[in-house]
Amino acid sequence: MENLSNLDYASYLKGWIRTVPNWPSEGVMFRDITPLLQNPKTFRMLIDIFVHRYMGERIDMVAGLDARGFIIGSVLAYELNVGFVPIRKKGKLPFTTVAEEYELEYGNATVEMHTDAVKPGDRVVLIDDLIATGGTMMAGYKLLQRLGAEVVETAGIIELPELGGGELMRDLNIPLFTVCSFDGH
Ligand code: HSX
């Protein structure tokens, strides 16, 4: 049995994230969280980091970003005994939505949320797997703000500092927590 008591949990979990070079295109180092999720011990450790962070706070809702934010966000919501809200890519939600468009490296993307997903004043944790340019997370943040929710914190597993999203969000005073970061290759 591993003795994890003296280990830095974040570094340990980082070791379970697989780097896949040149995927989905040449030059991209893809950070793959599936090994972290498929090991029951690391999956639990990951979720517990977020649960411990927010269990003492008044949180009304967890919002997760399509699609990997759903995996961790829904479990976190369940553990915090609060509801879960999906923020989805355009065209996936059946009811009335609010939408926010943001820029990708090439072109634009849009995320949507149901208009009744949160109430004004709700205290929400917004979660995704990864922050690169920050475009996705900030679009989700804006949607929640437009519906009057208070985003207590945005949270992710991985930050890629080279792509500047985390820094941009901190400059804008958007609270951000990530478990680990990957510099360069
Ligand atoms: C990836 O892009 C992740 O799962 C996130 O949803 C998103 C992060 O990129 P960015 O919007 O921060 O550039 O597919």
Side-chain angles (χ1 to χ4, degrees), residues 66 68 102 128-136:
D66 199 341
R68 283 176 284 265
Y102 61 101
D128 200 359
D129 66 325
L130 180 140
I131 290 87
T133 67
T136 311

Side-chain angles (χ1 to χ4, degrees), residues 51-184:
V51 172
H52 293 162
R53 189 167 178 86
Y54 301 116
M55 64 189 291
E57 302 286 323
R58 185 171 75 73
I59 304 294
D60 299 307
M61 198 72 76
V62 174
L65 283 152
D66 199 341
R68 283 176 284 265
F70 298 168
I71 301 169
I72 42 176
S74 58
V75 183
L76 175 63
Y78 182 87
E79 290 293 335
L80 294 176
N81 205 24
V82 300
F84 175 77
V85 167
I87 298 180
R88 299 218 58 183
K89 288 169 186 154
K90 189 181 171 69
K92 300 288 185 187
L93 289 170
F95 185 62
T96 321
T97 56
V98 277
E100 189 70 35
E101 192 176 278
Y102 61 101
E103 284 180 21
L104 299 174
E105 196 176 356
Y106 302 103
N108 295 326
T110 301
V111 284
E112 296 179 335
M113 186 170 61
H114 278 153
T115 49
D116 64 355
V118 291
K119 297 187 301 302
D122 275 354
R123 289 169 55 83
V124 180
V125 172
L126 173 61
I127 198 159
D128 200 359
D129 66 325
L130 180 140
I131 290 87
T133 67
T136 311
M137 192 67 102
M138 284 193 290
Y141 180 84
K142 285 177 194 164
L143 282 182
L144 288 162
Q145 282 207 319
R146 275 168 57 191
L147 291 178
E150 181 188 341
V151 181
V152 175
E153 192 160 67
T154 65
I157 305 169
I158 302 163
E159 179 184 344
L160 303 180
E162 280 186 345
L163 290 161
E167 191 181 351
L168 178 63
M169 290 176 66
R170 284 184 278 269
D171 285 349
L172 294 169
N173 288 321
I174 299 174
L176 170 66
F177 166 74
T178 51
V179 174
C180 63
S181 65
F182 280 87
D183 277 305

Side-chain angles (χ1 to χ4, degrees), residues 2 12 16 34-45:
E2 286 158 309
Y12 179 74
W16 283 82
T34 61
L36 183 59
L37 302 178
Q38 74 196 47
N39 174 337
K41 197 183 273 184
T42 53
F43 185 38
R44 185 173 290 276
M45 285 169 71

